[in-house]
Amino acid sequence: MKQICRTRLFLCALIGALFCAMILSMRSGQYDIPTECVIASFAHAAGLPLFPDVVVTPEQEAVLWHIRLPRTLVGVMVGAGLGISGAVLQGIFSNPLADPGIIGVSSGASVGAVLAIGIGLTAGNVLTLPVFAFTGSILAVGLTVSLSMRHGRIPVMTLLLSGVVVGMFLAACTAAILTVMNEQKMQQYLFWTIGGLDYRRWDHVLLGIGPIGIGASVMVLLARHLNLLAFGEVEARAAGMPVTSFRLLFLVLASLTTAAGVCISGNIGFVGLVVPHMMRLIIGPDHRGLLPASLLAGAVFLVLCDSVGRILLPGMEIRVGIMTAFIGTPYFLYLLRRHMRMTG
């Protein structure tokens, strides 16, 4: 009972942290907007009598509603999707070093993106590249799962090795396509693959909210089943659980959620690796609390990284994919050394 109260209190703290991170994101940038103007703008839109004397200029309204808010919402969705997907995959593989890229999602998205850029389809519609990246991710995961399926079962080690092989093959395909692209298209691909939230529009929000919202919601609802699955295949089968069906379901949900996030933001690393492991250290391995905590913490982490990237160097913006790598790499090395000490 004490642990449940602690988990609920921690989740409430994460919700408060997410609200503060969103406010920081919407006020930060080359065009700085005071916090009271940010709150007043949304309060006025909702009909709430907050800061009635604060005047929000039309320019501030335009920046908030057409630039900052879509960018912040994309950050929330992508961070939440990567965080919860990482927690699910770490539960499936029983490995704290697992992340959403391990089953080929990122590699598939890269092939889809480089194809769209190479063919020259990205100039006509801003959603062409995300759709191609999403399709590439889903096809890559489908190939990984089909290669690992044996007699109606999906062995974890085979799935892991299949993901590595598919990722290497798709990386080679991406490199092959890049060799025949001109310099301008190569720069466009590089700009996408670093990962960022700049120039996100309401179209990107609408593209990602469905698959990420549905995938994350179903994973949270099935957290109890993931607990059984994490105990091991033998224990789960002894409890009457159809292991292969649930493992496949969680893989599909995590892949769908991750692919939707990657397609609208590019490849953003370390969120699905660092955040779930950190949450596991704080609240424990019970996925009923771990999954919502990873979802909220992933959103907070990504939105904060994006905000810091806009604040750190005046007049410049560090893309969020670079910020997460700077923060995530030292923690990943710590995890690796800790894992080696425990297994050695």
Side-chain angles (χ1 to χ4, degrees):
M1 193 65 175
K2 184 178 179 180
Q3 179 62 32
I4 294 175
C5 293
R6 180 187 172 191
T7 299
R8 289 177 178 174
L9 185 62
F10 183 69
L11 292 177
C12 291
L14 284 176
I15 293 173
L18 179 58
F19 175 78
C20 294
M22 292 177 68
I23 295 295
L24 177 64
S25 175
M26 286 184 286
R27 63 153 294 166
S28 304
Q30 294 187 17
Y31 182 68
D32 193 52
I33 301 175
T35 302
E36 60 269 21
C37 290
V38 174
I39 298 175
S41 178
F42 292 102
H44 295 165
L48 300 176
L50 297 177
F51 299 106
D53 298 329
V54 174
V55 177
V56 184
T57 66
E59 291 80 8
Q60 291 174 333
E61 291 276 3
V63 170
L64 280 174
W65 289 92
H66 299 293
I67 298 176
R68 300 270 172 87
L69 183 57
R71 177 177 185 151
T72 302
L73 291 178
V74 169
V76 170
M77 291 192 304
V78 173
L82 292 176
I84 192 172
S85 297
V88 166
L89 291 174
Q90 288 175 11
I92 291 176
F93 288 104
S94 299
N95 188 337
L97 301 181
D99 78 333
I102 204 169
I103 53 177
V105 176
S106 300
S107 302
S110 295
V111 173
V114 78
L115 270 176
I117 295 171
I119 296 172
L121 299 176
T122 57
N125 192 331
V126 71
L127 296 181
T128 301
L129 193 150
V131 169
F132 267 70
F134 181 81
T135 304
S137 295
I138 297 302
L139 291 177
V141 173
L143 180 59
T144 300
V145 172
S146 63
L147 288 175
S148 61
M149 185 80 72
R150 289 293 181 272
H151 307 295
R153 301 176 64 181
I154 307 176
V156 171
M157 187 55 66
T158 306
L159 180 66
L160 177 61
L161 294 174
S162 298
V164 172
V165 171
V166 168
M168 293 174 65
F169 172 73
L170 293 178
C173 292
T174 301
I177 298 171
L178 285 171
T179 57
V180 298
M181 288 169 53
N182 59 41
E183 185 177 349
Q184 182 180 0
K185 290 181 177 179
M186 289 182 67
Q187 289 178 348
Q188 185 181 354
Y189 171 75
L190 178 63
F191 191 72
W192 176 85
T193 196
I194 291 174
L197 302 179
D198 44 332
Y199 304 113
R200 299 306 95 175
R201 305 190 331 194
W202 285 107
D203 294 337
H204 297 93
V205 176
L206 296 176
L207 183 64
I209 193 170
I212 293 176
I214 294 172
S217 300
V218 176
M219 284 188 280
V220 170
L221 291 174
L222 295 177
R224 185 174 59 87
H225 298 83
L226 185 58
N227 280 341
L228 262 180
L229 201 59
F231 284 140
E233 187 169 335
V234 175
E235 290 80 0
R237 290 188 184 278
M241 180 181 183
V243 173
T244 301
S245 299
F246 273 96
R247 183 171 289 158
L248 183 60
L249 175 59
F250 277 116
L251 282 173
V252 169
L253 292 170
S255 303
L256 179 71
T257 304
T258 303
V262 170
C263 82
I264 59 176
S265 67
N267 286 322
I268 297 177
F270 292 103
V271 179
L273 170 68
V274 173
V275 170
H277 189 72
M278 191 179 298
M279 293 301 101
R280 186 176 285 105
L281 293 177
I282 294 174
I283 66 174
D286 188 345
H287 289 93
R288 290 174 295 182
L290 179 60
L291 294 190
S294 298
L295 182 148
L296 291 169
V300 172
F301 178 68
L302 193 61
V303 173
L304 281 179
C305 284
D306 182 49
S307 302
V308 172
R310 283 181 274 162
I311 297 171
L312 204 57
L313 298 176
M316 288 185 60
E317 179 176 323
I318 304 175
R319 303 201 85 199
V320 69
I322 299 173
M323 292 300 303
T324 58
F326 274 140
I327 297 172
T329 299
Y331 191 76
F332 176 78
L333 293 175
Y334 160 73
L335 284 181
L336 187 60
R337 291 181 62 85
R338 185 170 178 264
H339 183 71
M340 290 173 62
R341 285 198 302 267
M342 291 176 63
T343 56

